[in-house]
């Protein structure tokens, strides 16, 4: 029997103080706020500029991403929505699939890109103009076959198993105190023991590991935690309670083995969609920064996942694209010997794919130079 908590059901199911974390995850911290971001009307007078080597015809291949396809055609792929001729008579007009034939057409000097539905550029331009005399079309295709915006394998674990929570959200939550046979680490099929009240026999639970806390510095220069990062390492079923000790059988592990100190929490199913579209970040509180490079000592590149210090409370949504600016070097003026700071340099782009209240996870779309912790988030260039 699997016990899955959703945003509404979690309040009815949780009956003990130890599960305050789950409430924090799904409510105050806005877990998994991934949505299909809607593009604002184009503000650019000039049409998006095509690359010199942009193809007239392109057949979508397995492994393609929407962002990569856009980069084949446009100097600034962020403007892809301005040239895309969507078919409003199809349930999900922006989805494209392997085998789709994309045509680059011209309408009054403006590039138009769309799927060839057998009617060539004439049909694509009609769809772009929103003509209503088109026949409804039905296409049966698995959502799993749709071309994603980015390579989902690169962000899968962060979408499904990583959360950023308040620093006090783990207070009084159950935790692993040992394993059978005096093991230090436990894997799938093995037994572990958790201490803490409220775990129910026969129920499935998630086992999480705490990562390095996010910190800030107070007026006296002392660091203090402002958030914790949790990563799910396993799923287990509770089999027996003895006082405040619960026996759990590990049913699955994810990249790590279970060890002492790991937290035992309800399974939370965020039901995250995997389709969202890159759009320019607007109405976002400024001065955001890259505060962590995941899986690295501090340098990110194309395909890296980073943590940003801007979240839903700052106006950030999934799909928002930021330019990344690295602070300019501090140099000595050779004439005056003054120490001066050179202007910052834009070195890449990052797209938000998961938001929390104060933070978000971003995927590096491009990187001309290594991206370091402390790099600034700025509005992307709208010009090509």
């Amino acid at each position: 029997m699997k016990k899955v908590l959703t945003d509404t059901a979690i309040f009815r199911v949780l009956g003990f103080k130890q599960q305050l974390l789950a409430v924090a995850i799904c409510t105050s911290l806005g877990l998994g706020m991934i949505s299909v971001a809607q593009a604002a009307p184009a503000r650019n007078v000039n049409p998006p500029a095509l690359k010199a080597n942009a193809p007239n015809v392109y057949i979508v291949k397995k492994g393609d991403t929407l962002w990569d396809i856009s980069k084949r055609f446009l100097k600034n792929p962020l403007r892809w929505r301005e040239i895309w001729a969507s078919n409003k008579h199809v349930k999900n007009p922006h989805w494209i699939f392997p085998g789709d034939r994309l045509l680059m057409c011209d309408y009054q000097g403006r590039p138009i890109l769309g799927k060839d539905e057998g009617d060539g550029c004439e049909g694509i331009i009609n769809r772009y103009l929103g003509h209503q005399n088109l026949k409804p079309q039905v296409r049966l295709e698995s959502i799993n076959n749709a071309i994603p915006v980015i390579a989902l394998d690169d962000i899968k674990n962060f979408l499904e198993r990583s959360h950023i929570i308040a620093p006090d959200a783990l207070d009084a939550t159950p935790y692993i105190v040992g394993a059978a046979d005096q093991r230090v680490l436990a894997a799938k099929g093995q037994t572990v023991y958790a201490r803490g009240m409220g775990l129910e026999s026969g129920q499935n639970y998630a086992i999480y590991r705490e990562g390095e806390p996010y910190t800030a510095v107070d007026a006296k220069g002392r660091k203090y935690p402002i958030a914790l990062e949790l990563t799910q390492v396993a799923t287990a079923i509770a089999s027996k309670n003895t006082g405040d000790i619960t026996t759990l059988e590990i049913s699955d592990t994810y990249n790590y083995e279970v060890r002492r100190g790991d937290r035992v929490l309800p399974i939370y199913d965020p039901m995250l969609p995997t389709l969202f579209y890159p759009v320019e970040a607007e109405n976002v509180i400024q001065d955001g920064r890259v505060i962590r490079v995941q899986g690295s000592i501090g340098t990110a590149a194309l395909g890296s996942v980073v943590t940003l210090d801007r979240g839903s409370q700052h106006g950030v949504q999934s799909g928002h694209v930021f330019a990344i600016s690295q602070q300019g070097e501090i140099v000595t003026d050779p004439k005056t010997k003054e120490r001066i700071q050179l202007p910052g340099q834009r070195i890449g782009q990052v797209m938000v794919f998961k938001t929390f209240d104060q933070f978000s996870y971003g995927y590096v779309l491009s990187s001309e130079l290594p991206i370091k912790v402390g790099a600034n988030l700025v509005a992307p260039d709208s010009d090509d």
Side-chain angles (χ1 to χ4, degrees):
M1 178 180 180
K2 181 180 180 181
K3 185 176 183 179
V4 177
L5 303 182
T6 61
D7 283 6
T8 54
I10 198 166
F11 292 101
R12 298 194 299 269
V13 175
L14 296 181
F16 52 100
K17 180 180 178 181
Q18 288 86 340
Q19 307 301 15
L20 287 175
L21 169 66
V23 178
I25 287 178
C26 69
T27 56
S28 67
L29 291 170
L31 171 61
M33 300 296 289
I34 291 184
S35 59
V36 177
Q38 299 300 318
R43 296 172 299 170
N44 300 283
V45 176
N46 297 323
L50 294 176
K51 284 188 171 180
N53 60 347
N56 292 320
V57 180
Y58 182 73
I59 307 299
V60 180
K61 302 187 298 294
K62 185 176 181 180
D64 280 341
T65 66
L66 177 62
W67 187 258
D68 289 338
I69 290 174
S70 299
K71 287 198 296 185
R72 288 180 178 271
F73 292 94
L74 295 176
K75 291 183 179 179
N76 182 358
L78 186 56
R79 297 183 66 182
W80 73 276
R81 294 286 286 267
E82 297 178 48
I83 72 167
W84 180 251
S86 62
N87 187 345
K88 296 181 174 65
H89 296 271
V90 177
K91 182 177 179 182
N92 298 290
H94 298 299
W95 291 4
I96 53 178
F97 299 86
D100 281 346
R101 187 170 184 260
L102 305 182
L103 300 182
M104 177 58 69
C105 307
D106 179 88
Y107 173 69
Q108 297 182 352
R110 186 179 189 88
I112 302 297
L113 177 67
K115 291 183 288 189
D116 184 5
E117 304 288 353
D119 46 12
C121 279
E122 180 181 356
I124 288 173
I125 292 171
N126 279 336
R127 287 187 284 280
Y128 178 79
L129 297 176
H131 289 179
Q132 299 301 313
N133 58 350
L134 301 171
K135 295 181 181 179
Q137 301 179 36
V138 176
R139 176 172 185 166
L140 299 178
E141 188 86 45
S142 169
I143 184 176
N144 294 327
N145 293 332
I147 296 299
V149 176
I150 56 179
L152 293 178
D153 286 345
D154 292 345
I155 64 172
K156 180 180 175 65
N157 285 335
F158 294 95
L159 277 172
E160 298 178 351
R161 300 191 178 97
S162 292
H163 316 302
I164 299 176
I165 63 171
D168 59 352
L170 290 178
D171 292 350
T173 54
Y175 53 92
I176 300 297
V177 292
D181 303 324
Q182 298 182 345
R183 295 176 182 270
V184 176
L185 301 174
K188 181 178 179 179
Q190 295 174 341
T191 300
V192 291
Y193 306 102
R195 187 178 188 188
M197 303 303 295
L199 300 179
E200 301 177 21
S201 296
Q203 300 295 338
N204 281 290
Y205 291 94
I207 300 177
Y208 285 92
R209 180 157 303 151
E210 299 175 50
E212 190 71 21
Y214 293 94
T215 60
V217 179
D218 63 18
K220 295 183 179 181
R222 294 174 300 194
K223 288 185 177 181
Y224 63 94
I226 56 173
L228 297 176
E229 191 162 58
L230 292 184
T231 300
Q232 186 180 359
V233 297
T235 302
I237 185 169
S239 60
K240 184 174 63 174
N241 298 105
T242 306
D244 64 349
I245 303 296
T246 300
T247 301
L248 299 116
E249 308 298 332
I250 300 174
S251 54
D252 212 344
T253 54
Y254 313 107
N255 301 321
Y256 302 95
E257 293 177 298
V258 177
R259 67 188 186 196
R260 294 177 184 177
D262 289 343
R263 298 285 179 167
V264 182
L265 304 163
I267 290 178
Y268 175 73
D269 185 1
M271 296 177 290
L272 302 174
T274 57
L275 289 174
F276 41 96
Y277 301 105
V279 294
E280 184 176 346
E282 296 181 332
N283 303 318
V284 175
I285 296 176
Q286 300 301 309
D287 300 323
R289 296 182 303 115
V290 174
I291 60 172
R292 179 168 294 176
V293 177
Q294 298 292 343
S296 170
I297 60 173
T299 301
L302 174 66
S304 295
V305 173
V306 295
T307 303
L308 314 175
D309 67 350
R310 289 293 179 266
S312 57
Q313 290 189 355
H314 302 102
V316 174
Q317 299 177 18
S318 295
H320 274 170
V321 174
F322 295 92
I324 302 174
S325 176
Q326 202 87 305
Q327 193 173 42
E329 182 184 4
I330 297 177
V331 299
T332 301
D333 186 305
K335 301 295 185 182
T336 67
K337 308 305 178 183
E338 295 174 288
R339 297 287 286 172
I340 59 175
Q341 185 165 23
L342 300 180
Q345 180 183 8
R346 297 197 177 193
I347 59 173
Q349 289 178 305
V350 61
M351 185 184 75
V352 172
F353 64 86
K354 185 175 182 179
T355 64
F356 306 90
D357 272 3
Q358 302 291 333
F359 305 91
S360 57
Y361 288 139
Y363 179 84
V364 177
L365 296 168
S366 63
S367 173
E368 298 174 11
L369 293 172
I371 298 169
K372 301 177 182 178
V373 170
N376 299 315
L377 307 178
V378 295
D381 290 322
S382 58
D383 296 331
D384 296 311

